[in-house]
Amino acid sequence: MTDEPTLREAADDSDFRIGAAIDPDALRSDPSYWRTASNEFNAVTPENALKMGPLRPSRDTYDFGDADAVVDFGDRNDMYVRGHVLVWHNQKPDWFQAWDYTDDQLREFLREHVHTVAGRYHGRIDAWDVVNEAVADDGSMRDTVWYDALGEDYLADAFRWADEVSDADLYYNDYGADAINEKSDAIYDLLERLLDRGAPIDGVGLQMHALGDHPDPDSVAENIRRFQDLGLDVQITEMDVAFHADDPPANPDKVQAEFYRDVIAACRDAGCDTVVTWGVHDASTWLRTFRDFSDRFTGDPLLFDDRYDEKPAYDAVKGALRD
Ligand code: XIL
């Protein structure tokens, strides 16, 4: 036995939330997985289970089994639970095709979805990603089924619908907007417009998938501060740190650890208190299975390795929490 605190204890001591995205099948089948998740993290989010596709196997049914498993796990272990995600253009059910609906019907479809899902978890989910990835990489509005039919109104509507049935904090979430850049400028403008219209937005989630080129931590801190100046809370919601597969650094574990440390420090300096990593251990990272990512990026972006052993990144995060 050692007296060394776990990551979770270090986070609790600093009033910080350190989280992991959770796969319900791994929870059910792998004791090391759930032990690591509950001993080392004080926040969870379902990685996929709350997305519209997994939740809605057919036109008339919802299947909440997997989502409930993750939310229950969070509840039982006294963890902060992030809900991900109510409105997104990806991972929709195969049976859902926009051309089957008029624009009015689409709006009603989305309202019913938000009310059903956010309403079910009233009091159990602490924060919701209400809208995910509505802005394109060049800063224009992303051309999605929702935007195409409903225009920018769908964002304000989605936040209002979520607010009608949920007591959670409501977030806009996106990738590639972690530092000051064209896309985060556009998101800043979008959120300012939505707030001006009275949309009940509490915060912004910066995903922080640092997969090849890593953003400058000083610019991340400046970005966090400007969103806070809009009155928004800022959380880092999907962090993982990888490298271009064809050009990794000589000492990837060290560079990875330093980047984790710098982001936690930037976050804490700016007064942000939540960082969720996108998986429990390297063997469960999406980078190994998603599209061609395994060719493009290194596949060990998390705090624990394939055997659940602590990596240099783990020590770096813990150190940054205790500084
Ligand atoms: C990813 C999951 O990790 C994968 O398992 C799934 O196949 C695709 O989606 N941005 C998001 C997350 O908001 O929902 C995505 O999660 C990663 C990028």
Side-chain angles (χ1 to χ4, degrees):
M1 292 294 287
T2 75
D3 291 335
E4 181 65 22
T6 65
L7 180 61
R8 178 177 184 157
E9 288 164 341
D12 286 341
D13 285 347
S14 320
D15 291 323
F16 198 84
R17 301 187 192 110
I18 185 81
I22 298 289
D23 166 12
D25 287 333
L27 270 190
R28 295 182 185 110
S29 62
D30 181 354
S32 300
Y33 184 91
W34 63 256
R35 278 189 204 287
T36 305
S38 55
N39 288 336
E40 299 286 356
F41 298 93
N42 57 10
V44 281
T45 189
E47 182 172 351
N48 289 298
L50 277 170
K51 294 170 181 172
M52 190 186 283
L55 266 189
R56 304 185 64 170
S58 73
R59 207 172 281 274
D60 307 315
T61 54
Y62 282 84
D63 179 353
F64 287 105
D66 279 354
D68 284 356
V70 178
V71 175
D72 288 347
F73 178 77
D75 274 355
R76 295 224 186 141
N77 289 290
D78 201 18
M79 295 159 119
Y80 179 84
V81 181
R82 294 197 90 260
H84 175 80
V85 50
L86 294 170
V87 182
W88 193 27
H89 56 281
N90 280 335
Q91 289 181 273
K92 300 187 301 308
D94 288 341
W95 55 261
F96 170 81
Q97 297 300 340
W99 56 77
D100 288 336
Y101 301 80
T102 66
D103 292 352
D104 281 348
Q105 286 170 334
L106 266 186
R107 188 170 181 278
E108 179 52 22
F109 175 88
L110 202 55
R111 188 197 61 75
E112 190 271 344
H113 181 79
V114 171
H115 273 174
T116 303
V117 180
R120 178 184 181 85
Y121 294 102
H122 180 99
R124 303 176 66 208
I125 281 185
D126 299 290
W128 265 111
D129 290 333
V130 177
V131 179
N132 198 29
E133 303 179 353
V135 174
D137 294 350
D138 67 0
S140 63
M141 291 303 291
R142 187 184 290 278
D143 189 15
T144 70
V145 281
W146 314 120
Y147 186 71
D148 178 59
L150 309 172
E152 201 173 295
D153 285 351
Y154 87 86
L155 286 112
D157 286 341
F159 280 95
R160 229 180 353 260
W161 295 326
D163 190 50
E164 282 164 7
V165 297
S166 170
D167 56 352
D169 289 331
L170 306 179
Y171 284 74
Y172 175 82
N173 193 54
D174 216 324
Y175 72 87
D178 310 307
I180 305 273
N181 57 35
E182 210 174 19
K183 185 166 177 178
S184 61
D185 285 351
I187 291 170
Y188 180 94
D189 292 343
L190 170 67
L191 295 182
E192 194 172 37
R193 285 198 298 281
L194 293 169
L195 289 168
D196 280 348
R197 294 176 51 192
I201 306 174
D202 296 299
V204 55
L206 308 177
Q207 292 184 7
M208 198 64 73
H209 292 292
L211 304 188
D213 307 314
H214 302 166
D216 168 20
D218 290 336
S219 183
V220 171
E222 194 183 332
N223 194 36
I224 292 173
R225 287 207 175 85
R226 70 166 165 172
F227 283 110
Q228 290 170 333
D229 288 343
L230 273 183
L232 295 170
D233 185 45
V234 181
Q235 300 186 337
I236 307 284
T237 53
E238 306 186 13
M239 186 164 181
D240 43 18
V241 184
F243 302 95
H244 293 294
D246 58 5
D247 188 25
N251 46 358
D253 282 359
K254 181 159 175 279
V255 179
Q256 180 183 63
E258 285 169 0
F259 187 69
Y260 268 107
R261 184 198 62 209
D262 289 350
V263 168
I264 300 277
C267 184
R268 285 188 75 202
D269 279 356
C272 132
D273 66 1
T274 304
V275 172
V276 177
T277 61
W278 205 238
V280 171
H281 71 329
D282 286 339
S284 50
T285 176
W286 68 307
L287 301 185
R288 296 190 188 180
T289 52
F290 186 69
R291 294 191 190 150
D292 62 349
F293 277 22
S294 63
D295 297 330
R296 292 171 56 198
F297 304 114
T298 54
D300 42 11
L302 296 166
L303 305 182
F304 293 88
D305 71 12
D306 283 34
R307 303 170 31 172
Y308 299 99
D309 286 334
E310 297 159 7
K311 294 166 58 181
Y314 172 92
D315 295 324
V317 170
K318 206 197 279 183
L321 290 176
R322 295 166 85 188
D323 274 349

